[in-house]
Amino acid sequence: MVRENEVRRGEVAVPSPAATDAGLEFIGRIHTPWTNRMQTPRQGRADGPICRIELFAPWAQGLQGLAQYERVEVIYWLHLSRRDLVLQCPANDGVARGTFSIRSPVRPNPLGTSIAHLVGIENGMVLVRGLDCLDGTPLLDLKPDRTLFTPIAPPQPGDFQVGD
Ligand code: SAM
């Protein structure tokens, strides 16, 4: 049975970072159908439900130009995660794995990232498929999928060039 915030056999907890030392600004809020961590998908799917990403003022104008991309990288703060496990047992079988070898939401800085499929942009709301976070999860950033993005500034020495 899965319980929220339990420490399982084989897991190791360490003192967790202070909640106030990151200095990040939440720039929006993600609206999804999931209100319970146990029912939230472990990773988003391209055929998942449409979720709405709300941008707070003054950040909505930063969406200019995003609509041309098919996919967007969404970076969010898994705000209900514990932050103190350095070894974790995802299968609850006593087999421990290092926190940095898995994509568990439990991490010292609980950042979540998803490559989501852009469905549309309406009145400062970005509609996407492919998320895996709870309703109300704070938004940290949005970026075009790096595989679709070509740097806008002129090339620099050392940049990868097509044909290299
Ligand atoms: N796709 C992201 C990644 O790989 O960085 C997150 C993956 S994480 C395994 C997704 C899980 O985090 C969900 O199944 C849910 O259990 C949990 N979760 C989702 N939103 C959360 C939130 N706001 N706070 C804490 N846990 C959350």
XYZ file of all heavy atoms in Angstrom, residues 1-8 11 34-40 42 78-85 88-90 92 104-106 133-135:
296
model
N 0.840 -1.195 0.000
C 0.000 0.000 0.000
C 0.888 1.263 0.000
O 1.905 1.293 0.673
C -0.894 -0.023 1.243
C -1.789 1.174 1.348
S -2.907 0.962 2.741
C -3.396 2.629 3.016
N 0.484 2.266 -0.754
C 1.260 3.508 -0.830
C 0.681 4.509 0.158
O -0.512 4.732 0.187
C 1.186 4.093 -2.257
C 1.946 5.394 -2.330
C 1.722 3.089 -3.257
N 1.553 5.078 1.005
C 1.096 6.124 1.936
C 1.890 7.392 1.664
O 3.083 7.320 1.386
C 1.339 5.702 3.383
C 0.483 4.561 3.826
C 0.686 4.286 5.317
N 0.161 2.993 5.636
C 0.821 1.849 5.471
N 2.047 1.863 5.006
N 0.268 0.700 5.763
N 1.218 8.515 1.775
C 1.910 9.783 1.543
C 2.894 10.026 2.674
O 2.569 9.842 3.836
C 0.906 10.939 1.478
C 0.118 10.937 0.189
C -0.828 12.126 0.074
O -0.785 13.016 0.948
O -1.610 12.130 -0.885
N 4.101 10.468 2.315
C 5.109 10.926 3.282
C 5.619 9.862 4.236
O 6.180 10.188 5.269
C 4.586 12.131 4.084
C 4.400 13.335 3.192
O 5.108 13.488 2.209
N 3.444 14.181 3.523
N 5.425 8.582 3.930
C 5.987 7.548 4.792
C 7.484 7.409 4.488
O 7.935 7.720 3.391
C 5.298 6.212 4.555
C 5.560 5.677 3.154
C 4.914 4.336 2.892
O 4.518 3.667 3.847
O 4.801 3.967 1.710
N 8.269 6.935 5.462
C 9.649 6.519 5.209
C 9.624 5.001 5.188
O 9.273 4.352 6.172
C 10.611 7.046 6.286
C 12.023 6.532 6.042
C 10.612 8.573 6.282
N 9.990 4.412 4.044
C 9.857 2.977 3.844
C 11.119 2.241 4.272
O 12.192 2.838 4.380
C 9.598 2.700 2.364
C 8.336 3.333 1.877
C 8.255 3.224 0.378
N 6.982 3.711 -0.122
C 6.729 3.926 -1.409
N 7.659 3.721 -2.316
N 5.544 4.349 -1.786
N 14.780 3.151 3.089
C 14.938 4.567 2.736
C 15.755 5.302 3.808
O 15.794 4.896 4.967
C 13.564 5.227 2.563
C 12.838 4.688 1.340
C 11.530 5.402 1.031
O 10.881 5.914 1.959
O 11.163 5.427 -0.152
N -6.422 16.638 -11.201
C -6.029 15.750 -10.107
C -5.908 16.504 -8.783
O -5.181 17.484 -8.683
C -4.700 15.071 -10.441
C -4.790 14.332 -11.740
C -5.550 13.214 -11.996
C -4.148 14.684 -12.981
N -5.399 12.850 -13.313
C -4.543 13.724 -13.939
C -3.269 15.688 -13.361
C -4.109 13.755 -15.251
C -2.834 15.735 -14.662
C -3.239 14.778 -15.594
N -6.608 15.998 -7.791
C -6.585 16.633 -6.471
C -5.936 15.724 -5.435
O -5.861 16.081 -4.266
C -8.020 16.965 -6.013
O -8.794 15.762 -6.065
C -8.658 18.015 -6.918
N -5.471 14.564 -5.879
C -4.902 13.586 -4.960
C -3.628 13.030 -5.595
O -3.653 12.601 -6.752
C -5.963 12.480 -4.789
C -5.513 11.371 -3.893
O -4.343 10.966 -3.931
N -6.437 10.863 -3.098
N -2.528 13.053 -4.829
C -1.246 12.617 -5.388
C -1.287 11.170 -5.869
O -0.603 10.811 -6.801
C -0.151 12.755 -4.325
C 0.510 14.103 -4.367
C 1.640 14.170 -3.363
N 1.139 14.489 -2.034
C 1.907 14.652 -0.975
N 3.210 14.487 -1.070
N 1.391 14.975 0.184
N -2.065 10.351 -5.185
C -2.123 8.925 -5.539
C -2.786 8.702 -6.903
O -2.575 7.677 -7.534
C -2.895 8.136 -4.470
C -2.319 8.284 -3.095
S -0.603 7.772 -3.063
C -0.094 8.434 -1.501
N -3.617 9.638 -7.326
C -4.329 9.475 -8.611
C -3.641 10.218 -9.752
O -4.036 10.076 -10.908
C -5.763 9.992 -8.476
C -6.598 9.154 -7.545
C -7.861 9.873 -7.105
O -8.057 11.051 -7.408
N -8.693 9.161 -6.365
N -2.621 11.004 -9.427
C -1.938 11.796 -10.452
C -0.989 10.892 -11.231
O -0.273 10.088 -10.619
C -1.141 12.931 -9.764
O -2.015 13.596 -8.861
C -0.612 13.931 -10.757
N 2.232 9.324 -12.999
C 3.649 9.491 -12.613
C 4.407 10.295 -13.647
O 5.369 10.984 -13.327
C 4.304 8.135 -12.415
C 3.719 7.442 -11.214
C 4.514 6.250 -10.814
N 3.797 5.563 -9.762
C 4.176 4.427 -9.223
N 5.276 3.842 -9.648
N 3.473 3.869 -8.280
N 6.866 21.152 -7.026
C 6.025 20.088 -6.451
C 5.855 20.389 -4.955
O 6.523 19.824 -4.089
C 6.673 18.733 -6.732
C 6.773 18.433 -8.248
C 7.804 17.343 -8.526
C 5.426 18.071 -8.821
N 4.966 21.344 -4.690
C 4.947 22.030 -3.405
C 4.577 21.149 -2.216
O 4.855 21.521 -1.077
C 4.037 23.259 -3.479
C 2.586 22.972 -3.712
N 2.126 22.171 -4.737
C 1.486 23.399 -3.042
C 0.806 22.125 -4.700
N 0.400 22.862 -3.681
N 3.953 19.994 -2.444
C 3.559 19.148 -1.318
C 4.550 18.013 -1.050
O 4.302 17.151 -0.216
C 2.154 18.573 -1.567
C 1.052 19.627 -1.708
C -0.294 18.969 -1.944
C 1.003 20.523 -0.472
N 5.677 18.033 -1.755
C 6.659 16.964 -1.598
C 7.466 17.113 -0.323
O 7.845 18.223 0.037
C 7.667 16.993 -2.749
O 7.119 16.453 -3.889
N 7.796 15.976 0.286
C 8.828 16.044 1.306
C 10.163 16.225 0.580
O 10.273 15.939 -0.616
C 8.798 14.795 2.178
C 9.014 13.501 1.431
C 8.862 12.307 2.343
N 9.784 12.386 3.451
C 9.579 11.784 4.637
N 8.482 11.074 4.827
N 10.462 11.907 5.608
N 11.202 16.674 1.304
C 12.449 17.075 0.648
C 13.668 16.433 1.292
O 14.784 16.868 1.048
C 12.576 18.608 0.723
C 11.410 19.317 0.078
C 11.439 20.825 0.278
N 12.569 21.452 -0.347
C 12.753 22.767 -0.408
N 11.842 23.582 0.124
N 13.810 23.268 -0.997
N 13.451 15.408 2.096
C 14.545 14.937 2.949
C 15.050 13.537 2.636
O 15.888 13.032 3.373
C 14.094 14.994 4.412
C 12.888 14.107 4.692
O 12.207 13.690 3.731
O 12.628 13.831 5.869
N 14.601 12.867 1.573
C 15.079 11.501 1.325
C 16.248 11.515 0.355
O 16.141 12.057 -0.751
C 13.961 10.623 0.754
C 12.769 10.353 1.673
C 11.812 9.362 1.010
C 13.211 9.833 3.031
N 15.719 6.295 -1.770
C 14.272 6.060 -1.836
C 13.991 4.676 -2.390
O 14.768 4.144 -3.179
C 13.610 7.095 -2.749
C 13.865 8.518 -2.332
C 13.160 9.522 -3.222
O 12.010 9.332 -3.631
N 13.846 10.592 -3.534
N 12.839 4.144 -2.023
C 12.390 2.821 -2.483
C 11.090 2.993 -3.257
O 9.997 2.802 -2.708
C 12.173 1.898 -1.297
S 13.629 1.722 -0.267
N 11.176 3.338 -4.550
C 9.951 3.616 -5.314
C 8.990 2.441 -5.361
O 7.783 2.630 -5.392
C 10.460 3.954 -6.720
C 11.915 4.198 -6.589
C 12.389 3.516 -5.346
N 8.706 0.180 -3.031
C 8.409 -0.235 -1.653
C 8.783 -1.703 -1.419
O 8.026 -2.445 -0.779
C 6.929 0.010 -1.332
C 6.707 0.127 0.172
O 7.664 0.086 0.950
N 5.457 0.253 0.578
N 11.444 10.765 -8.921
C 10.498 10.921 -7.814
C 10.262 12.408 -7.523
O 11.179 13.221 -7.659
C 11.094 10.251 -6.578
O 10.498 10.746 -5.419
N 9.055 12.765 -7.076
C 8.811 14.162 -6.676
C 9.561 14.531 -5.393
O 9.681 15.712 -5.062
C 7.299 14.216 -6.463
C 6.879 12.802 -6.216
C 7.850 11.931 -6.963
N 10.044 13.529 -4.674
C 10.740 13.780 -3.404
C 12.204 14.059 -3.695
O 12.955 13.180 -4.123
C 10.597 12.553 -2.472
C 11.379 12.770 -1.198
C 9.131 12.290 -2.182
N 0.831 16.851 -12.644
C 0.896 17.521 -11.341
C -0.502 17.796 -10.795
O -1.493 17.832 -11.528
C 1.722 18.800 -11.421
S 1.121 19.992 -12.597
N -0.524 18.029 -9.495
C -1.784 18.290 -8.791
C -2.383 19.624 -9.207
O -1.647 20.563 -9.560
C -1.516 18.365 -7.295
C -1.206 17.068 -6.589
C -0.704 17.354 -5.182
C -2.463 16.204 -6.556
N -3.681 19.703 -9.111
C -4.364 20.972 -9.302
C -3.802 21.992 -8.303
O -3.656 21.687 -7.113
C -5.868 20.763 -9.055
C -6.665 21.984 -9.423
O -6.373 22.592 -10.470
O -7.583 22.346 -8.662
